[in-house]
Amino acid sequence: MESTPPPPPSVLNDNCSASYMTPYATVIAMSGLYLIVIFFFCKKSKKMCIPMSDSMYPHQKRLKQLERELKNYLIDEESIEVDDYQIGQTSDGFIFRGGVFPKTRNRFNAKVTTAVKISFPIVGKSISLLEDALRLSKLDHPNLIRLLAVSQLSFSVFRPMIALEWLPGGTLADYFIYKIREKEDSDRSPIQLKDMLSILYQVSQALKYIHSQLDEFGQELTHGRILTRNVLITEPDLKKCEVKLGDFGEAPSGLEYTTPIVAYMPPEILCCAERIPPHRPENDVWMFGVFIWECLTLGAQPHFRKSVEDIKKSFRLPDRGLSCPPTCPLDVWTLVIDCLSDPHVRPRFASTTNASITTRLSELHHIVSPALFLYPIPNQSVCTCIEHHCQSIPQY
């Protein structure tokens, strides 16, 4: 019987390869690929369906860098709740009361009440808000507002959203308005100078910490927004409340005359010919001096209804246009004038000498008599224009 010769190797390989190309294998491979595509689309569908504004493309590189550096704070947008109640507004956006839900929800880890800041629909403001969040993420001090979370969609939509620490006492500006200036004398709680010095000391501690830090260029970090509306309190009792400084970010340029912050700007910024003059630590010292005056008057508006030219003329006066409150001791007023002096002679927060602002406030707090009280000083206007109906009438 003749034996059949074995097939050549090429025929064997063709038969083996053909055996794997069955319809069943094709269906299984295509089904697996389809499931992978569906899974990827479900995971990324929200980002894929949101159109990207053309004005955001120049900032894509910086946005990716910010997203990497803030990755520990990123949460889904469903985990951030925003109430209808608006509690404030800053140069970057609106602030609402809201909350942050933990990633794993149960009855033991309920929603955390926060302040939620949403940027204006402007690309520059959106980037500024994310830069603000990055600065806060790198700072840790008991007298500074903490960053809690950043929405994941902040890097793919037009308006970023961040969650900040919530203080139930509100801002110091609201305290002056609603707890002091809008109340009758009989209903108003007396404010001791000693308690106000404690508030000022806590704010100076926060600024001392900020000025001891360095930015990405190796320069001293600054705040640039030292106002009563940016100082938050834990409760409306100045004797035992804690204070935290918020709204950390870039200071506005000297040409932004429409904002109320003009009254706090130092001469080297307000009178500068540059469009965006650099903000330095000594500029914070001037703003802190105006802040002290605002606290000593219990909420009077500095340079009330003055034009920019009037404010510039006030810089030539000995008191810089901010008169000394009647009950202010000479030692406290000397500190205010020192903060409002020329840039090269102003005291510092982070100085190791006895002349630092923090040290002087601590000493004043210990030597000031508890019998010294502060009283609200009315806003004095030099404006006599008909359209404002000012007529130099003091206004609370």
Side-chain angles (χ1 to χ4, degrees), residues 60-324:
Q60 284 301 297
K61 183 177 180 181
R62 182 54 179 164
L63 283 176
K64 291 181 180 179
Q65 183 180 0
L66 288 170
E67 186 174 9
R68 288 194 302 268
E69 297 188 11
L70 290 170
K71 62 180 180 179
N72 295 332
Y73 294 89
L74 298 182
I75 62 175
D76 295 334
E77 70 280 2
E78 292 90 351
S79 299
I80 300 181
E81 182 183 79
V82 181
D83 298 341
D84 295 333
Y85 178 63
Q86 181 180 338
I87 60 178
Q89 177 179 335
T90 67
S91 60
D92 296 332
F94 301 101
I95 303 178
F96 297 87
R97 181 172 179 175
V100 172
F101 292 95
K103 296 181 179 180
T104 304
R105 304 183 187 180
N106 53 49
R107 61 178 182 175
F108 299 106
N109 53 3
K111 177 185 71 174
V112 177
T113 303
T114 64
V116 180
K117 183 185 288 190
I118 304 176
S119 73
F120 295 128
I122 304 172
V123 175
K125 301 298 184 181
S126 301
I127 299 296
S128 177
L129 182 60
L130 293 175
E131 295 282 4
D132 191 356
L134 179 61
R135 294 186 192 94
L136 282 176
S137 67
K138 297 179 178 180
L139 299 175
D140 183 17
H141 191 271
N143 296 118
L144 281 177
I145 290 293
R146 293 185 298 112
L147 175 69
L148 300 180
V150 179
S151 172
Q152 181 73 49
L153 288 182
S154 297
F155 301 93
S156 57
V157 298
F158 195 65
R159 302 180 68 179
M161 181 169 58
I162 65 175
L164 303 170
E165 184 180 8
W166 169 264
L167 271 69
T171 68
L172 192 58
D174 290 340
Y175 176 84
F176 288 147
I177 294 174
Y178 302 114
K179 299 294 183 181
I180 298 178
R181 305 183 82 81
E182 289 189 354
K183 289 185 175 293
E184 299 292 337
D185 294 343
S186 57
D187 301 331
R188 187 185 303 137
S189 300
I191 304 299
Q192 290 183 346
L193 174 60
K194 199 177 188 67
D195 298 333
M196 191 57 64
L197 289 174
S198 176
I199 299 293
L200 296 171
Y201 175 76
Q202 294 182 61
V203 176
S204 70
Q205 287 280 51
L207 291 169
K208 177 182 178 180
Y209 170 77
I210 291 174
H211 287 187
S212 65
Q213 307 298 310
L214 300 178
D215 60 14
E216 56 184 339
F217 303 105
Q219 303 294 326
E220 288 181 285
L221 212 58
T222 60
H223 188 276
R225 297 172 183 172
I226 309 169
L227 323 172
T228 53
R229 70 168 184 260
N230 291 339
V231 175
L232 294 95
I233 56 179
T234 55
E235 58 180 287
D237 185 358
L238 300 187
K239 290 183 177 298
K240 53 184 179 180
C241 76
E242 295 181 3
V243 175
K244 298 203 174 188
L245 185 60
D247 195 21
F248 184 87
E250 293 294 333
S253 66
L255 298 181
E256 294 179 353
Y257 292 151
T258 59
T259 60
I261 202 173
V262 166
Y264 302 83
M265 288 183 180
E268 59 269 20
I269 288 184
L270 194 59
C271 303
C272 184
E274 300 180 32
R275 178 167 181 79
I276 305 180
H279 193 83
R280 298 185 175 90
E282 56 266 25
N283 305 146
D284 276 351
V285 175
W286 175 283
M287 300 186 76
F288 186 73
V290 180
F291 172 76
I292 297 177
W293 181 90
E294 194 175 358
C295 291
L296 295 177
T297 59
L298 297 184
Q301 298 180 25
H303 302 295
F304 182 64
R305 286 180 176 170
K306 289 182 182 179
S307 65
V308 177
E309 294 303 321
D310 289 333
I311 296 177
K312 291 180 179 179
K313 293 178 182 177
S314 300
F315 294 153
R316 307 187 190 119
L317 301 176
D319 58 3
R320 306 300 190 263
L322 304 174
S323 57
C324 177

Side-chain angles (χ1 to χ4, degrees), residues 330-390:
L330 180 59
D331 292 340
V332 178
W333 185 244
T334 301
L335 176 60
V336 176
I337 295 301
D338 289 345
C339 292
L340 302 180
S341 57
D342 294 334
H344 63 282
V345 296
R346 293 173 196 163
R348 289 295 194 100
F349 293 99
S351 175
T352 57
T353 64
N354 294 329
S356 67
I357 297 176
T358 306
T359 302
R360 292 173 66 175
L361 284 172
S362 177
E363 294 174 350
L364 289 172
H365 180 264
H366 287 91
I367 65 175
V368 163
S369 171
L372 290 176
F373 290 88
L374 297 175
Y375 300 95
I377 306 300
N379 289 311
Q380 299 286 349
S381 174
V382 297
C383 179
T384 57
C385 58
I386 300 176
E387 56 269 26
H388 286 166
H389 305 287
C390 301

